[in-house]
Amino acid sequence: MEDISILQYATRFPEIPKIPLCMRLEDQNNDDYDPKVVSLGPYHHGKPELKFVEDFKPVALQMFIHGSDKNQDFFLEKILEEIEDAKSCYYDMEDTCIDDNAFAQMMLLDACFVLNYIEFVNQWSFNYKCRTLFWHLGYGVCSLVRRDMFLLENQVPFGILKLLFNLRFGGCGFEEMLQSYCCQLFFGQLDSRNNVLMEPQPSHLFELLRRALVSGNYQHLEQSHRGFKWRKNNSSSNENRPTITCPLVFRPMMDLISKCIDQYCGNKKEDKPMVTESSDMFHSVMELKSKGVRFMPSGFGSLKAVRFTSHCYYAKLSLPCWYVSEYTRVFFRNMIAYESCPGNNSDCSLSAYIYFMKTLVISPNDAKELREKKIIFNHLGSDEQVVQVFRALKTYVHVKSNYKDVKEQIEEHCNRKSQTWIAQLLDTYFTSPWTLLALFAATSLLFLTILQTYYASPFYSHAKGS
C-alpha cells in the first residue's frame, strides 16, 4: 500500500463537512443542524418535509434565467464541466447513487435559489423576482430560509455560485452583491464599508459570513477633552454618547485619592498575582461594573473589536454590537461546529468570542446592562432568553489567546484596591444628580454646623474679647 503523507491526507477533508457526530449526540435539539424549509446540497436533499420549497426551485431557476439569452441547458453544461470539483466539496459523494447529471441539476437549482434569495435580501429593486418569491413562499418561509442558510451542512460550493453569476451577468458585480448581502444580514445596512475578504476564495457562503464577522472593519472610539464620544457613520448626534459618571471638577481630587490609596494600602504592581494564559478568569458584567468598568459599543463590523482601557479611577470595555434573535443560537452552533471540524485551519475566532461572552453574561442583569448600553440588541423578548442562548452554546475548545491581553488587563484593573473603592464611591454618590445634590447638601450642612458650633463656643468669645 502506498504511503500517504499527513499533508496529502489533510487535503482529503471536504470543504463542506458534516456536523461531527459527537456534537449531534450532545445536542438535545438536533434541528439546530438540520434545515426546516429548504435543502441546499446533497446532505438533506429529498427530505419529504422540505418538498414545498423544492417544488419552487424550478421557478427560481426561471427567475434567474429571465432576461438572458441563455437557456437552462447552457448553465447545466457549464456545471457539468466542473462536476468533479463540485462533488469533491462534499463528504462521501462516491458512495452515493447520484450520477453526474442529477448532481449538476441539483447544483443548478440550489445555486439559482441562493442567488435569487441574496438579491431578495439586498432588495436592489423590488422587481418581479422579489414579488414572485414573496408570493410563492410567504414571509414565514422566507424568514426560515435565512435560518437554513446559516447551516453548515446546507451549503452550495462558492465556485458554483460565482460561475453561474458570471455567466448570467457578464462577470461583474458578484463581490459587490455579496458585500451588500453580508452587511445587510448582520449590520442592517446596504453599504459595503465592511470589506469582506474574498481572497483566498471561500469554500462556501457560510465561510464568507464568518469572514464578514471576524475580518470586518470596525469604528474606533475616540477620546476628547469632554469625555468619550462614539462617532457612528459621521453623525453628530449625541444619542450614542456615553457619559462619565464623575464630573470633571472632581477628577483631580479622585486622582489624588487613588494615589494615596495605592501608596498606603500596599497596592503595588509587583504584589499583583501573575495572570497566565492558563488562568480561567470569570468576571460577569455586573461584577466588572462594581469595580469601575464601563461598557461601550465598539460598533459593528468585527467580533475581534474588544478593547479594554484602564484609567486612574475607572475603566472602559468596548465590545462589538450583536443582534440576538431566534436564529443566533443556530448560527453560532453551526459556526462552532465548522471551526471544530477536521481539516479546518481557522483561528476559531467565533468560538473564542462565544467563550469570552459566556464569562460576561451569566445573569439577566448582565444581559440588561449590555442591552442598555446598546451592545446587545435583544429581539427575543426578555433578558433571561439572552442568557439561555449563551448557556446553550458549547465551544468545545477554550481559545484563550484571542482575548489573553484583554483578560490580563481586566484582571490587573480588578486587583487594584483604589479603583474598586473609588468605583463604589462613584456608583454610590455620582450616578444621578439627586445623589450628587444630596451629597452636596449634606456636606454644606456639615460645614455650616461646624461654623455654628465654632462661633457659639467660648473659644470664639475669648478670641473676640482679646
Side-chain angles (χ1 to χ4, degrees), residues 226-238:
R226 295 184 177 181
F228 292 96
K229 177 181 179 182
W230 182 29
R231 295 184 178 179
K232 179 180 179 183
N233 296 336
N234 297 325
S235 173
S236 59
S237 173
N238 295 331

Side-chain angles (χ1 to χ4, degrees), residues 22 45 58 60 91-92 126 152 155 161 168 198 213 230 235 263 281 312 335 359-360 372 385:
C22 61
H45 182 73
Y91 182 77
D92 281 348
F126 198 77
L152 174 60
Q155 300 298 318
L161 296 176
R168 170 63 180 83
M198 294 290 184
L213 291 177
W230 182 29
S235 173
Q263 181 177 358
M281 296 165 289
C312 190
M335 192 61 71
T359 65
L360 291 178
E372 290 178 347
Q385 289 178 287

Side-chain angles (χ1 to χ4, degrees), residues 229 293 452:
K229 177 181 179 182
V293 178
Q452 183 181 8

Side-chain angles (χ1 to χ4, degrees), residues 1 3 88 98 120 127 133 157 169 202 218 224 242-243 291 316 325 334 344 371 396 402 439 458:
M1 184 177 179
D3 293 336
S88 66
I98 303 179
F120 163 71
N127 53 23
L133 197 63
F169 297 103
Y218 56 90
S224 66
T243 58
K291 295 182 180 297
K316 177 187 65 173
S325 67
N334 281 267
N344 193 332
R371 175 174 54 83
Y396 295 93
N402 298 59
L439 177 64

Side-chain angles (χ1 to χ4, degrees), residues 26-27 59 82 96 133 214 246 275 291 308 391-392 406 430:
E26 289 186 359
D27 183 19
V59 179
E82 309 291 336
T96 62
L133 197 63
V214 173
C246 181
V275 180
K291 295 182 180 297
F308 184 82
R391 286 179 182 174
V406 173
F430 296 99

Side-chain angles (χ1 to χ4, degrees), residues 89-189:
C89 294
Y90 296 97
Y91 182 77
D92 281 348
M93 286 306 300
E94 63 275 4
D95 297 335
T96 62
C97 58
I98 303 179
D99 58 27
D100 290 351
N101 288 324
F103 187 84
Q105 183 70 22
M106 177 180 62
M107 287 288 99
L108 177 61
L109 292 174
D110 292 350
C112 289
F113 180 86
V114 170
L115 292 173
N116 278 295
Y117 183 78
I118 290 176
E119 183 177 351
F120 163 71
V121 171
N122 288 344
Q123 294 180 353
W124 286 350
S125 61
F126 198 77
N127 53 23
Y128 91 99
K129 292 185 179 181
C130 296
R131 291 194 296 269
T132 303
L133 197 63
F134 257 129
W135 178 261
H136 283 266
L137 298 181
Y139 181 78
V141 174
C142 287
S143 177
L144 288 174
V145 168
R146 172 177 296 192
R147 178 255 183 207
D148 288 351
M149 291 180 66
F150 286 157
L151 305 181
L152 174 60
E153 295 182 348
N154 219 34
Q155 300 298 318
V156 177
F158 192 85
I160 296 296
L161 296 176
K162 186 175 182 180
L163 173 66
L164 293 179
F165 186 91
N166 291 339
L167 291 174
R168 170 63 180 83
F169 297 103
C172 60
F174 183 66
E175 293 186 1
E176 290 77 6
M177 179 188 71
L178 294 181
Q179 295 276 3
S180 298
Y181 173 69
C182 292
C183 291
Q184 173 67 15
L185 201 62
F186 290 125
F187 315 125
Q189 55 189 15

